[in-house]
């Protein structure tokens, strides 16, 4: 989970505005900007094919990049990119310049692990990912590629919360600790099966409960004839 730094070549874009941006796109390049760290913004352009490959590879917004701009490298992190709404290719990208020792707020993806060993999954439950990413604050040199969510001990109906996840050293979560990350959802018909099992257990206990009063009632029933038998004896004495 060590921080990965990629390299990307860029060309200075002296002109800004919509017209200049369209010209860059027609030339097969994507316009962009580097900003931050109390320095003036730099307008740049990047080869469309290379940028598209980086985005499709995943984790683009959590990967540090050294942009080689005419022989000078700028340590940045992608902060946003825009895609064409119809053709779905990049049309603009923003990079934030990072100073040495800088701290950054970033959204890191959540990776669920050990689902196959979860007792809830073995009983037919399904892993339901509630949060696909976690908001973190950390140094630019210690950005984790992802955070692991271990669900190997979860039963059906149980959840994994942020407080249950171990974060790397120097990384602070910006989400509340009781936030639910993953739950094990019961299979279809599970609630009905539980009700049927509870009803069966209750029915099994009912005969035993009814038997106790019956046994207790036997004593008064047996005592009644004995009391009746004493009555004639008492009557004979009076005569």
């Amino acid at each position: 989970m060590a921080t990965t730094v990629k390299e990307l070549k860029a060309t200075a874009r002296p002109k800004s505005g919509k017209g200049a941006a369209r010209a860059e796109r027609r030339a097969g390049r994507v316009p962009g900007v580097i900003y931050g760290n109390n320095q003036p913004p730099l307008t740049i352009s990047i080869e469309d094919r290379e940028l598209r490959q980086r985005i499709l590879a995943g984790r683009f917004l959590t990967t540090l990049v050294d942009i080689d701009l005419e022989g000078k490298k700028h340590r940045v992190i992608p902060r946003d990119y825009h895609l064409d709404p119809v053709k779905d290719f990049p049309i603009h990208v923003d990079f934030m310049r990072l100073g040495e020792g800088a701290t950054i707020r970033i959204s890191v993806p959540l990776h669920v692990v050990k689902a196959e060993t979860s007792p809830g999954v073995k009983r037919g439950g399904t892993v339901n990912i509630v949060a696909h990413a976690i908001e973190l604050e950390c140094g630019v040199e210690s950005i984790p590629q992802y955070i692991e969510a271990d669900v190997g001990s979860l039963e059906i109906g149980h959840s994994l919360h942020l407080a249950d996840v171990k974060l790397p050293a120097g990384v602070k979560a910006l989400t509340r600790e009781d936030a639910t990350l993953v739950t094990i959802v019961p299979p279809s018909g599970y609630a009905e099966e539980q009700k049927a099992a509870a009803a069966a257990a209750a029915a099994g206990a009912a005969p035993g409960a009814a038997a106790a009063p019956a046994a207790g009632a036997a004593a008064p029933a047996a005592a009644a004839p004995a009391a009746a038998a004493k009555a004639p004896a008492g009557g004979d004495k009076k005569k």
Side-chain angles (χ1 to χ4, degrees):
M1 296 178 65
T3 302
T4 301
V5 180
K6 301 289 186 178
E7 290 193 1
L8 196 60
K9 287 187 177 182
T11 301
R13 184 166 55 94
K15 294 183 180 181
S16 59
K18 294 183 178 180
R22 292 193 190 101
E24 291 290 344
R25 296 186 192 107
R26 286 194 297 269
R29 304 184 65 81
V30 180
V33 62
I34 299 175
Y35 66 91
N37 199 30
N38 298 318
Q39 297 181 33
L42 297 175
T43 52
I44 62 172
S45 65
I46 301 168
E47 186 181 349
D48 176 84
R49 177 182 292 183
E50 186 172 5
L51 181 61
R52 194 181 308 188
Q53 289 177 348
R54 297 293 179 88
I55 294 173
L56 293 176
R59 299 196 296 270
F60 179 67
L61 296 178
T62 60
T63 301
L64 296 183
V65 179
D66 280 340
I67 292 184
D68 186 345
L69 181 61
E70 299 177 348
K72 183 179 180 181
K73 290 188 177 181
H74 300 261
R75 176 66 57 88
V76 301
I77 187 167
R79 294 308 271 171
D80 195 13
Y81 62 89
H82 302 280
L83 302 177
D84 183 275
V86 178
K87 299 181 180 180
D88 205 34
F89 55 75
I91 57 176
H92 193 274
V93 60
D94 293 339
F95 297 96
M96 186 175 73
R97 189 184 288 106
L98 301 173
E100 186 177 352
T103 300
I104 188 173
R105 293 188 175 191
I106 192 168
S107 180
V108 175
L110 186 74
H111 281 198
V112 175
V113 297
K114 298 184 180 179
E116 66 282 356
T117 64
S118 164
V121 172
K122 289 181 179 179
R123 294 173 56 199
T126 303
V127 175
N128 176 41
I129 303 176
V130 179
H132 291 270
I134 302 176
E135 295 293 327
L136 302 175
E137 182 178 81
C138 59
V140 295
E141 301 299 335
S142 57
I143 300 174
Q145 294 183 15
Y146 55 85
I147 298 297
E148 287 189 350
D150 186 345
V151 299
S153 62
L154 291 189
E155 264 287 4
I156 290 177
H158 289 196
S159 302
L160 186 77
H161 301 91
L162 181 59
D164 304 319
V165 174
K166 184 178 181 181
L167 298 177
V171 175
K172 175 186 175 182
L174 299 177
T175 309
R176 67 181 192 275
E177 290 190 347
D178 62 345
T180 301
L181 303 180
V182 186
T183 61
I184 303 298
V185 179
S188 177
Y190 178 78
E192 288 73 13
E193 291 179 6
Q194 293 295 97
K195 290 180 181 178
K230 290 180 180 178
D236 290 343
K237 288 180 179 181
K238 290 180 179 180
K239 291 178 180 179

